Amino acid sequence: MHAITHTSRPLIISIIAALFAVVLWAGAPLLVDLASSVPPFQLTTIALLSGALAALPTSLSGRRNRDGKAVRGRLSLKWKLAIYGLVPALILGAIGGYLTGVGMAPTAEAALITYTWPVMFIVISQWLFHRRIPLPVLCGALIAFAGAALLLSPGANSEGFSEYMAGYGLALMAACCWALYSWLCQAAPAPVAPVMPGLFVLAAIGAVVADALSGSPFGLPSGLALMAGVGLGVGPYGLAMVAWDMALRNGPSGLVGSLAYGVPVLAAVFLVIAGVAAPDWRLPLAALLVVTGSVVASIKTGSQRQPMPA
């Protein structure tokens, strides 16, 4: 009985944390729309600095945890370079690439490309941890992705593909960055959440450099745009990423990764409620596919996370 409780508690925490992140990420399109007047890398900088402040309590909590601090102190040079060098670059690539890509291509198509990252994460995670991809995980990922594709693809415009090629490429880059970031959070021998504020600041410095190189006029946004940028950092790119790190470290990658397909479904619901989009019959069917895919991906096949060597 104790063994069952000990095993199920991390899974429940993982699911709750993943769903919390999904809900926050689903609100991102509304916030991005409200801050559309802000250049993408300036918006990225504002979001990252706000995210650093939102994640600060997790850093202070981690410092009080002596065991966690001891583990981080024993990290190999390889993992230190990965966490403090590669992770900030991936955060910048994911957020900056998405915000820039959405501005250069149709939103629905760019979003659909970006939402392929859970498939990439599941495949990478299962292959690198187990050197195989269990059939339930693969089927669940494809079913859940079909729900996202059903919801987003009808709005895609096939004309002018070459005109939007750069935007599509940036959206695909964002998807790759999200997938690699998620895998590193899962594989790291120490939690990433306690050092997240510092990683956000490093990524923000990169965004400032990118903004300077892009030549966009500098100016602090005001009013609603500034509030939306801060909200984007506090929620979708702050608390959500901390919760996602917790979910990845406590749950199976197949289930956690598939839950991310709830993002486009909930995002559509939020857009309908806000009056930005009209109700669509595809929404309940997409939600059913996402839930079904998550259940299928959670079927036990010995694909639970295994610790990576430091």
Coordinates of all heavy atoms in Angstrom, one line a residue, residues 75 79 83 129 182-192 245 249 305 307-309:
L75 N 27.6 18.5 -10.4 CA 27.4 18.4 -11.9 C 28.7 18.3 -12.6 O 29.7 19.1 -12.3 CB 26.6 19.6 -12.4 CG 25.1 19.6 -12.0 CD1 24.5 20.9 -12.5 CD2 24.3 18.4 -12.6
W79 N 27.3 18.8 -18.1 CA 26.0 19.2 -17.7 C 25.9 20.7 -17.3 O 24.9 21.4 -17.5 CB 25.4 18.4 -16.5 CG 24.8 17.1 -17.0 CD1 25.3 15.8 -16.9 CD2 23.7 17.0 -17.8 NE1 24.5 14.9 -17.5 CE2 23.5 15.6 -18.1 CE3 22.7 17.9 -18.3 CZ2 22.4 15.1 -18.9 CZ3 21.7 17.4 -19.1 CH2 21.5 16.1 -19.3
I83 N 23.3 23.1 -19.1 CA 22.3 23.9 -18.3 C 22.5 25.4 -18.4 O 21.5 26.1 -18.7 CB 22.3 23.4 -16.8 CG1 21.8 22.0 -16.7 CG2 21.4 24.3 -16.0 CD1 21.9 21.4 -15.3
F129 N 16.5 7.5 -24.0 CA 16.4 6.8 -22.7 C 16.4 5.3 -22.9 O 17.0 4.5 -22.1 CB 15.2 7.2 -21.9 CG 15.4 8.6 -21.2 CD1 14.4 9.5 -21.3 CD2 16.6 8.8 -20.6 CE1 14.6 10.7 -20.6 CE2 16.7 10.1 -19.9 CZ 15.7 11.0 -20.0
S182 N 12.8 20.5 -23.4 CA 12.1 19.6 -22.5 C 12.9 18.3 -22.3 O 12.9 17.8 -21.1 CB 10.8 19.2 -23.2 OG 9.9 20.3 -23.4
W183 N 13.6 17.8 -23.2 CA 14.4 16.6 -23.0 C 15.6 16.9 -22.0 O 15.8 16.1 -21.1 CB 15.0 16.1 -24.3 CG 15.9 14.9 -24.1 CD1 15.5 13.6 -23.9 CD2 17.3 14.9 -23.9 NE1 16.5 12.8 -23.6 CE2 17.7 13.6 -23.6 CE3 18.3 15.9 -24.0 CZ2 19.0 13.2 -23.5 CZ3 19.6 15.5 -23.8 CH2 20.0 14.2 -23.6
L184 N 16.2 18.1 -22.2 CA 17.3 18.4 -21.2 C 16.7 18.6 -19.8 O 17.4 18.2 -18.8 CB 18.0 19.7 -21.7 CG 19.0 19.6 -22.8 CD1 19.5 21.0 -23.2 CD2 20.2 18.8 -22.3
C185 N 15.6 19.2 -19.6 CA 15.0 19.3 -18.3 C 14.7 17.9 -17.7 O 14.9 17.7 -16.5 CB 13.7 20.1 -18.4 SG 13.9 21.9 -18.6
Q186 N 14.3 17.0 -18.5 CA 14.0 15.6 -18.1 C 15.3 14.9 -17.8 O 15.3 14.1 -16.8 CB 13.2 14.9 -19.1 CG 12.7 13.5 -18.6 CD 12.0 12.7 -19.7 OE1 12.6 12.6 -20.8 NE2 10.9 12.1 -19.4
A187 N 16.3 15.0 -18.6 CA 17.5 14.2 -18.5 C 18.5 14.8 -17.5 O 19.3 14.0 -17.0 CB 18.2 14.1 -19.8
A188 N 18.4 16.1 -17.1 CA 19.4 16.7 -16.2 C 19.4 16.0 -14.9 O 18.4 15.6 -14.3 CB 19.1 18.1 -16.1
P189 N 20.6 15.7 -14.3 CA 20.7 15.0 -13.0 C 20.2 15.9 -11.8 O 20.1 15.4 -10.7 CB 22.2 14.7 -12.9 CG 22.9 15.7 -13.7 CD 21.9 16.0 -14.9
A190 N 20.0 17.2 -12.0 CA 19.4 18.1 -11.0 C 18.3 18.9 -11.6 O 18.3 19.2 -12.8 CB 20.6 19.0 -10.5
P191 N 17.3 19.3 -10.8 CA 16.2 20.1 -11.3 C 16.7 21.4 -11.9 O 17.6 22.1 -11.4 CB 15.3 20.3 -10.0 CG 15.7 19.2 -9.1 CD 17.2 19.0 -9.4
V192 N 16.1 21.8 -13.0 CA 16.4 23.1 -13.6 C 15.7 24.2 -13.0 O 16.2 25.4 -13.1 CB 16.1 23.0 -15.2 CG1 16.4 24.3 -15.9 CG2 17.0 21.8 -15.8
D245 N 9.0 21.9 -15.9 CA 10.1 21.2 -15.4 C 9.8 20.2 -14.3 O 10.3 19.0 -14.3 CB 11.1 22.2 -14.9 CG 12.3 21.5 -14.2 OD1 13.1 20.9 -14.9 OD2 12.5 21.7 -13.0
R249 N 10.1 15.9 -14.6 CA 10.9 15.2 -13.6 C 10.2 14.2 -12.8 O 10.8 13.3 -12.1 CB 11.7 16.1 -12.7 CG 12.6 17.1 -13.5 CD 13.6 17.8 -12.5 NE 14.5 16.8 -12.0 CZ 15.6 16.4 -12.6 NH1 15.9 16.8 -13.8 NH2 16.4 15.5 -12.1
R305 N 10.5 7.3 -17.0 CA 11.8 8.0 -17.0 C 12.8 7.3 -16.2 O 12.6 6.8 -15.1 CB 11.6 9.4 -16.5 CG 12.9 10.2 -16.5 CD 12.7 11.5 -15.8 NE 13.9 12.3 -15.8 CZ 14.9 12.2 -15.0 NH1 14.9 11.3 -14.0 NH2 16.0 12.9 -15.1
P307 N 16.9 7.8 -14.8 CA 17.9 8.9 -14.5 C 19.0 8.8 -15.5 O 19.5 7.7 -15.9 CB 18.4 8.7 -13.1 CG 17.4 7.7 -12.5 CD 16.8 7.0 -13.6
M308 N 19.5 9.9 -16.0 CA 20.7 10.0 -16.8 C 21.9 10.1 -16.0 O 21.9 10.8 -15.0 CB 20.6 11.1 -17.8 CG 19.4 10.9 -18.9 SD 19.8 9.7 -20.0 CE 21.1 10.5 -21.0
P309 N 23.0 9.5 -16.4 CA 24.2 9.7 -15.6 C 24.8 11.1 -15.7 O 24.6 11.8 -16.7 CB 25.2 8.7 -16.3 CG 24.7 8.5 -17.7 CD 23.2 8.7 -17.6

